[in-house]
Amino acid sequence: MQFNIKEIFTAFMILFAVIDIIGNIPIIIDLRKKVGHIQSEKASIIAGIIMVFFLFLGKTILSFLGVGVNSFAVAGAFILFFIALEMILGITLYKQDEDASLTASVFPLAFPLIAGPGSLTTLLSLRAEFRIENIIIAVILNVIIIFIVLKTSARIERLIGQNGINIIRKIFGVILLAIAVKLFAHNIKALFELA
């Protein structure tokens, strides 16, 4: 095992930006009002398990489908690009089913809000570039942050306000956009080398 602080930090920041738990505080508060109580521990642990499971088995699923990790990473870069655009421009490109059952912490909180298409795609994209143990630590750190935010969401919203949340979303959107471009450039180059 080779732990690399730079890789852990970069993977953590990428996942943090994609999951956008701070930007999702209004959704979490709305969900809490609708269902009465959110099990923060359960939601965080299930989201973490889904992400680690996909990190390990995602590559196997892809190879079964005949898709290379570099190809998937390029596709992931496009998804990150569009998520970043949503964050920066305040538009909605991906619409979630609003009428879905709001019964608990597993759906829609752990999946697809936290461990959704963006974060799962990002994990496989990261796997094309970083060591797996560093990504796992980044996932665990994000799960801890998710748990803290879920536990204190109402307090955070009062503290930083809607404008603060919007500013944070835009800052992370720009960071994510730069990461998407880097991910695309790195993996498209690898694809051309393989061809």
Side-chain angles (χ1 to χ4, degrees):
M1 283 196 197
Q2 288 186 333
F3 295 108
N4 183 318
I5 300 295
K6 188 177 175 234
E7 277 193 16
I8 292 167
F9 181 74
T10 307
F12 167 77
M13 289 304 285
I14 292 168
L15 281 170
F16 185 77
V18 173
I19 294 166
D20 189 27
I21 195 69
I22 302 292
N24 283 322
I25 286 173
I27 299 166
I28 294 161
I29 288 165
D30 189 48
L31 194 61
R32 190 163 279 176
K33 282 175 190 164
K34 286 176 185 170
V35 298
H37 175 67
I38 288 173
Q39 293 173 297
S40 306
E41 301 89 349
K42 189 178 178 184
S44 306
I45 291 166
I46 289 170
I49 290 168
I50 291 169
M51 287 191 278
V52 172
F53 178 82
F54 197 78
L55 181 65
F56 281 100
L57 290 180
K59 195 173 180 182
T60 309
I61 295 163
L62 284 181
S63 62
F64 179 73
L65 296 170
V67 178
V69 175
N70 291 116
S71 302
F72 195 81
V74 169
F78 281 113
I79 290 174
L80 293 183
F81 179 81
F82 289 119
I83 291 171
L85 284 184
E86 282 186 339
M87 292 167 78
I88 296 164
L89 303 175
I91 55 171
T92 305
L93 298 169
Y94 170 71
K95 288 182 172 54
Q96 282 178 220
D97 185 6
E98 296 292 330
D99 302 320
S101 168
L102 296 172
T103 49
S105 309
V106 179
F107 184 84
L109 193 55
F111 181 85
L113 195 65
I114 298 167
S119 52
L120 297 181
T121 306
T122 302
L123 284 169
L124 282 192
S125 301
L126 289 172
R127 192 168 175 175
E129 222 174 316
F130 300 141
R131 296 185 66 84
I132 203 155
E133 58 267 26
N134 296 324
I135 301 169
I136 291 169
I137 291 170
V139 168
I140 292 166
L141 291 173
N142 268 289
V143 167
I144 292 165
I145 299 281
I146 288 162
F147 171 72
I148 293 166
V149 170
L150 289 177
K151 271 287 190 209
T152 61
S153 55
R155 219 174 301 152
I156 292 169
E157 193 190 39
R158 279 196 306 271
L159 191 69
I160 62 177
Q162 189 57 51
N163 284 341
I165 290 169
N166 289 338
I167 290 165
I168 290 167
R169 275 187 76 113
K170 291 195 187 327
I171 290 167
F172 276 103
V174 173
I175 292 168
L176 199 57
L177 196 60
I179 290 162
V181 171
K182 180 181 179 274
L183 203 57
F184 177 82
H186 176 81
N187 286 285
I188 203 83
K189 187 178 157 202
L191 275 176
F192 281 119
E193 284 168 6
L194 290 171

